[in-house]
Amino acid sequence: MLLVVFLLIILASAGIDSWKHPFGKGLYWLRLGTAGAFAITLGAAVASLAFQNIRLTFIFSTAIMGFWALLGGVFTLVIPWFEKKGAESAWQILVILAVGADLLLAGWNLNPVVSVGFYSEMTSSETILKAKASAGRVFLSDAEEYFLKFKRFFRFQDYRAVEPWIHLKSTLLPNTNLYGRIPSAVNFDPFAPKYYAEWMKALNQRDENQVTVLLPWMGVAVWEKLDGTSPLGVRFDEITLPVQVAWFSCAQSAPDSAQWVMQKLVEKREVKGPLLLASDSGVSCLLEDVVLIHAQLNASEIEVVSPGAGWVYFSQIFYPGWQARVDGQVQPIYRANYAFMAVYSPREGARIELKYNPASFRFGKLLSILGIILWGIWVGGWVCYNQRQKG
């Protein structure tokens, strides 16, 4: 997309450079086109008055198109007059001002602005959630997120919010929660991991009682819901015992199905073992003990101490790039509860480290270092060459 924009800019520059007054048939069609542009502008203005049921966006777009086409035709027709007066510079200045006005008008509602305080000041809901969500994440269902986005805050005509922007921030509509550093289970990402996308799709098909059982497994501490009686239009319900990290004495293999796993978790009604793994654990056990471990998951490095031999479950999405070490030794990461992560601990007191360090990051870092080195060599060579030329 950026390449297309860049090429269009080059094309427009070439067109401006060859902008001249036409002759013969070219002049005839120019006059005809200018008259047509005037007719379009006038017609759009009349239609807006005569047909009130036509969408405003259509009328406005047509009028703007006709106006700028009319202005372009007028600028072309008056070129000989400015040349005769020796005022080519004045014509160029007028064209620059017109193009600037066009860009300003075109982007006026496409680039809404807010005060600096929008980013720095904490809203009342953020202050409350800082305490409530300290033990986990915030969850908002797809249906209620859709309502907030397209029924309450945003309109079809442009990007301006229907309500003050601070109201939008107060609802923590994804990804505005990031301004207040409040973790969310539903942050928008155009490249969602496969298992997360399938888990969320299955979750949004469940009823409220089942979702209430499943949310603790996702490390969700607060469930945001629509509420017409609240000044914000939403309320924040706390979830009992959200699981960020937990130790399980027992694990069993499970089919590779989000719906199957969810049904098993719903049947448990609470956080208890055995942990469900996407592959055979290779370890059998009789007890099904569970111990919640306090840890902060919203970081690229997580470190916990295992309370015994068993499985340490992290309500972190299973995603390539995570690396696990147990007592300093690299260990595999298992996919648990369909979309999350688990690491096997061989003993009590084992230190488990989980770090996000993808190969793409290391490769990009290496390329950056090589680029800096090559740039330094090029600058050094250029300086030496200039000094030799002067000498």
Side-chain angles (χ1 to χ4, degrees), residues 187-240:
N187 279 336
F188 172 75
D189 189 335
F191 300 104
K194 171 190 173 183
Y195 299 116
Y196 168 80
E198 292 179 353
W199 174 272
M200 294 304 296
K201 180 180 179 180
L203 181 69
N204 281 286
Q205 294 172 353
R206 297 274 169 168
D207 62 40
E208 184 171 336
N209 291 331
Q210 293 177 338
V211 173
T212 302
V213 176
L214 294 168
L215 289 183
W217 291 97
M218 299 169 58
V220 171
V222 177
W223 187 353
E224 181 179 358
K225 299 178 180 179
L226 298 178
D227 185 357
T229 63
S230 168
L232 296 175
V234 296
R235 72 175 190 270
F236 301 97
D237 295 345
E238 291 189 61
I239 298 296
T240 305

Side-chain angles (χ1 to χ4, degrees), residues 232-278:
L232 296 175
V234 296
R235 72 175 190 270
F236 301 97
D237 295 345
E238 291 189 61
I239 298 296
T240 305
L241 293 177
V243 179
Q244 293 208 41
V245 182
W247 172 84
F248 291 80
S249 62
C250 194
Q252 71 178 52
S253 59
D256 197 16
S257 166
Q259 292 287 8
W260 189 94
V261 171
M262 282 187 177
Q263 188 58 39
K264 284 295 182 183
L265 296 179
V266 167
E267 290 172 1
K268 293 180 181 182
R269 303 302 302 171
E270 61 184 12
V271 176
K272 62 180 182 180
L275 186 64
L276 302 176
L277 300 181

Side-chain angles (χ1 to χ4, degrees), residues 146-164:
Y146 183 90
F147 177 88
L148 289 173
K149 279 183 178 178
F150 304 112
K151 300 295 184 181
R152 179 176 172 185
F153 287 113
F154 300 118
R155 65 180 107 204
F156 174 75
Q157 290 92 333
D158 52 51
Y159 290 102
R160 291 178 297 173
V162 176
E163 299 180 31

Side-chain angles (χ1 to χ4, degrees), residues 21-22 25-35 72-74 76-77:
H21 185 268
K25 288 187 177 180
L27 180 58
Y28 167 78
W29 286 111
L30 173 64
R31 289 171 176 170
L32 193 63
T34 304
V74 170
T76 308
L77 289 172

Side-chain angles (χ1 to χ4, degrees), residues 287-323:
L287 299 177
E288 296 183 0
D289 295 337
V290 178
V291 177
L292 299 184
I293 302 173
H294 177 73
Q296 180 56 259
L297 282 188
N298 301 296
S300 59
E301 295 186 30
I302 307 164
E303 185 175 322
V304 297
V305 177
S306 173
W311 298 88
V312 178
Y313 169 78
F314 299 86
S315 59
Q316 188 79 29
I317 295 299
F318 183 85
Y319 193 72
W322 284 97
Q323 298 175 349

